[in-house]
Amino acid sequence: MNIAFGQYKVTKDRRGSVPPNIIFIMSDDHAYQAISAYDNRLIETPNIDRIAKKGMLFTQASVTNSICAPSRATILTGKHSHINGKVDNHFPFDTTNITFPQLLQKAGYQTAMFGKLHFGNNPKGFDQFKILPDQGSYYNPDFITKNEGNIKVEGYVTDIITDMTLDWLQKERKQDQPFMLMYLHKAPHRSWLMAERHLEEYTSKTFPEPATLFDDYSGRTSPAAEAEMSILHHMSWAGDNKVLPELMDELKIPEIGMDKRRYVYEMSRFNPSQAENFRKAYAKINESFKKAYPGMTAQDKMKWKYQRYMQDYLGTIKAVDENVGRLLDYLEANNMMENTIIVYTSDQGFYLGEHGWFDKRFVYDQSFKTPLLVAWPGKVKPGSRSDELVQNLDFAQTFLDAAGVKAPADMQGESLVPLLKGDTKKWTRKGVYYHYYEYPAEHMVNRHYAIVTKDYKLIHYYYVEDQWELIDRKKDPQELKNVYNDPAYVKVRKELHAQLDQLRKKYKDNEELSQVYVDKLMEDASNGKVYGVSPEKIQEIKARRAKVVSKK
């Protein structure tokens, strides 16, 4: 049955309701600390905040595996990484997985995707797509398209993705069908190149330091100290902090990782005008750094690199917020807000200097938690908040439920629709499951799985180490102290172990399956096929693992 709805003529779903349009907005590595609806100490994001004002902000939203491609696979499939097979960024996505866009398309939705997918070149279930290859580029990016082949577009990637999205809404959207639109930003992913219009403002800003910037990791197990995510030691001078390679040579500063190659690659994407504006903007920074560097202590270098990191990272978010505003303005101007679900999220959180880190991967809050804002006029109370334990695992079933489409029985999440409508009685989840796999690899974060409740985290690092952590989230919000062996937590520890065992059984995860994934990556790493890991490092890890196993 077709009925009129605003400017639309749409079809009722199997429940006799008008199926909502769905707009899924996702940025890459956007920390919740960098959205002013959560915390305005670093940046104001008035347009993203508009979604929170119109709908619900989730304070305990999290991911199942804090790394880019696996998070996206979980979102699309509604399954944990060990079930959908995309456990890390190294191995390919199994395209036999059924995704929620395929199901919505089959149910009559018009579907489109613009921006960063991160894997594959032909996403299934989309009537239209224009996606970045792999990570994509900030300036003059290439795109893989459904109908135009591979193209290169002049300009700044955040603006371009929005242009493509608005162009589709204006020219290709069918008014007699509901639509599902995935609007996916590259920003603020590393290497953090902001738009030209923001260079002068953001390279002049100073930002407050987090309380744990100089964390020494003494209160936790060894994986925190082993990780290669230190702003001081692992963030590159040229590739990340924009120190000129020739100045590095003059000051005899050794490279960190890709460093100069990363810088040279990004510069190669610029046209002459963009390159000139970029060099002008960073000239003063390089001049002052040249004078200061010879007298800098390690603490001075950490503070300097943190400020440079925040300037560039937050500068990219400024453009994301502006462009989210462009989309919302278009929807409002064209009477399209009604009966449209608008979601803003990130593929995971990110460390903004907490624990001295950048990047993600750990189950500690800044990478485990992710922003989640949902507006749905007439269904979600404006300005509402939820502290329930929701995950990216839940998106697929939420969208299918909202559309009146039956979810496959093997999906592992839960629909958020009852929470969005204010019905908390139907939400019974007391703990969420987390499992990170990509080790050995770039950043060297040990494999671990965990249960997270509102009060505690129980974490098992199982490769290469075999260590347990228990974090009291209420008493230790900065997550600095492992209380696993504290006698006062014996009862809590026992209860959490039982709950963790139940979750692993529920989600069909186990030691044997984990070992399969370990063996696959170790084989590739031993053959030099894993980025950031040398064959010599693999031999060192194998020797360490043998010692750990011998002590069991």
Side-chain angles (χ1 to χ4, degrees), residues 297-350:
T297 64
Q299 185 180 59
D300 294 334
K301 292 173 186 175
M302 174 65 121
K303 288 174 170 284
W304 185 88
K305 293 181 84 171
Y306 168 75
Q307 292 299 331
R308 284 274 47 259
Y309 169 34
M310 286 297 91
Q311 289 169 352
D312 292 340
Y313 176 91
L314 295 168
T316 69
I317 289 173
K318 177 70 172 179
V320 172
D321 187 68
E322 289 175 345
N323 279 281
V324 168
R326 289 177 62 198
L327 174 62
L328 295 179
D329 289 347
Y330 177 86
L331 297 173
E332 289 176 349
N334 288 275
N335 300 316
M336 293 175 63
M337 295 294 284
E338 191 174 355
N339 204 40
T340 296
I341 300 171
I342 303 173
V343 175
Y344 186 91
T345 191
S346 173
D347 51 356
Q348 61 265 320
F350 214 68

Side-chain angles (χ1 to χ4, degrees), residues 81-94 97 437-441 447 462-463 511-531 533 538 542:
S81 299
H82 61 278
I83 299 297
N84 68 49
K86 187 61 178 169
V87 298
D88 54 31
N89 281 339
H90 177 70
F91 291 105
F93 176 67
D94 180 357
N97 278 298
Y437 297 83
E438 194 170 280
Y439 178 95
R447 292 171 183 249
Y462 66 91
Y463 192 91
E511 290 184 9
E512 292 77 16
L513 186 55
S514 295
Q515 190 61 48
V516 169
Y517 288 123
V518 169
D519 293 343
K520 288 174 66 176
L521 189 67
M522 286 297 286
E523 180 179 358
D524 276 11
S526 297
N527 293 319
K529 296 179 180 179
V530 176
Y531 175 77
V533 187
I538 293 303
K542 286 181 177 179

Side-chain angles (χ1 to χ4, degrees), residues 31-34 39 41-42 208-217 220 229-231 302 306 309-310 313 349-360 362 364-367 477-480:
Y32 63 88
Q33 313 93 284
D39 188 336
R41 286 175 292 181
L42 293 174
E209 296 173 356
T212 59
L213 183 63
F214 293 96
D215 189 355
D216 63 4
Y217 316 116
R220 275 136 299 153
M229 309 196 313
S230 163
I231 291 173
M302 174 65 121
Y306 168 75
Y309 169 34
M310 286 297 91
Y313 176 91
F350 214 68
Y351 295 102
L352 305 185
E354 298 88 1
H355 308 294
W357 288 332
F358 67 105
D359 209 72
K360 54 257 185 181
F362 279 106
Y364 302 127
D365 272 1
Q366 288 79 19
S367 56
Q478 293 179 343
E479 300 178 300
L480 297 173

Side-chain angles (χ1 to χ4, degrees), residues 165-450:
T165 299
L166 294 177
D167 188 66
W168 181 83
L169 285 168
Q170 293 169 334
K171 299 177 182 178
E172 296 186 47
R173 176 182 59 84
K174 298 176 181 179
Q175 295 193 10
D176 61 350
Q177 284 181 261
F179 67 84
M180 193 284 295
L181 169 64
M182 299 191 82
Y183 168 49
L184 311 174
H185 285 295
K186 169 184 170 58
H189 194 278
R190 191 181 186 189
S191 296
W192 313 303
L193 295 178
M194 70 185 89
E196 292 173 89
R197 61 186 178 274
H198 299 138
L199 284 166
E200 183 177 356
E201 177 186 0
Y202 274 82
T203 55
S204 301
K205 284 181 174 286
T206 301
F207 299 94
E209 296 173 356
T212 59
L213 183 63
F214 293 96
D215 189 355
D216 63 4
Y217 316 116
S218 59
R220 275 136 299 153
T221 51
S222 63
E226 182 190 347
E228 297 179 358
M229 309 196 313
S230 163
I231 291 173
L232 177 60
H233 299 296
H234 304 115
M235 183 176 283
S236 62
W237 293 100
D240 293 320
N241 292 144
K242 317 303 187 293
V243 175
L244 294 171
E246 54 266 34
L247 181 56
M248 287 180 63
D249 293 339
E250 182 181 341
L251 297 173
K252 295 183 171 54
I253 300 174
E255 286 192 77
I256 299 173
M258 298 279 290
D259 218 336
K260 294 177 185 177
R261 284 175 290 172
R262 189 187 295 271
Y263 179 92
V264 169
Y265 170 77
E266 297 294 357
M267 289 295 290
S268 74
R269 301 294 309 188
F270 291 142
N271 64 34
S273 174
Q274 293 164 344
E276 180 62 21
N277 288 335
F278 181 88
R279 291 185 74 93
K280 279 183 180 178
Y282 290 98
K284 289 182 180 179
I285 289 173
N286 276 271
E287 288 169 8
S288 63
F289 179 75
K290 179 179 178 179
K291 294 176 183 176
Y293 182 79
M296 278 182 166
T297 64
Q299 185 180 59
D300 294 334
K301 292 173 186 175
M302 174 65 121
K303 288 174 170 284
W304 185 88
K305 293 181 84 171
Y306 168 75
Q307 292 299 331
R308 284 274 47 259
Y309 169 34
M310 286 297 91
Q311 289 169 352
D312 292 340
Y313 176 91
L314 295 168
T316 69
I317 289 173
K318 177 70 172 179
V320 172
D321 187 68
E322 289 175 345
N323 279 281
V324 168
R326 289 177 62 198
L327 174 62
L328 295 179
D329 289 347
Y330 177 86
L331 297 173
E332 289 176 349
N334 288 275
N335 300 316
M336 293 175 63
M337 295 294 284
E338 191 174 355
N339 204 40
T340 296
I341 300 171
I342 303 173
V343 175
Y344 186 91
T345 191
S346 173
D347 51 356
Q348 61 265 320
F350 214 68
Y351 295 102
L352 305 185
E354 298 88 1
H355 308 294
W357 288 332
F358 67 105
D359 209 72
K360 54 257 185 181
R361 302 168 195 267
F362 279 106
V363 73
Y364 302 127
D365 272 1
Q366 288 79 19
S367 56
F368 165 70
K369 288 173 58 175
T370 194
L372 178 57
L373 316 170
V374 184
W376 190 2
K379 305 289 186 180
V380 179
K381 182 181 177 182
S384 56
R385 297 170 74 92
S386 173
D387 66 351
E388 296 297 341
L389 299 169
V390 303
Q391 288 193 293
N392 57 350
L393 183 70
D394 302 321
F395 287 139
Q397 278 154 285
T398 299
F399 297 143
L400 293 173
D401 185 14
V405 178
K406 186 177 180 180
D410 60 352
M411 282 189 173
Q412 297 181 305
E414 297 181 39
S415 172
L416 304 182
V417 169
L419 287 180
L420 292 170
K421 293 181 177 180
D423 186 358
T424 58
K425 292 181 181 179
K426 292 182 180 180
W427 191 261
T428 59
R429 183 186 286 164
K430 301 300 181 184
V432 293
Y433 185 60
Y434 180 88
H435 196 155
Y436 173 79
Y437 297 83
E438 194 170 280
Y439 178 95
E442 186 183 20
H443 298 301
M444 299 303 289
V445 173
N446 270 234
R447 292 171 183 249
H448 57 287
Y449 58 84

Side-chain angles (χ1 to χ4, degrees), residues 63-78:
V63 297
T64 63
N65 182 1
S66 185
I67 187 168
C68 298
S71 174
R72 293 157 191 268
T74 292
I75 289 168
L76 289 170
T77 65

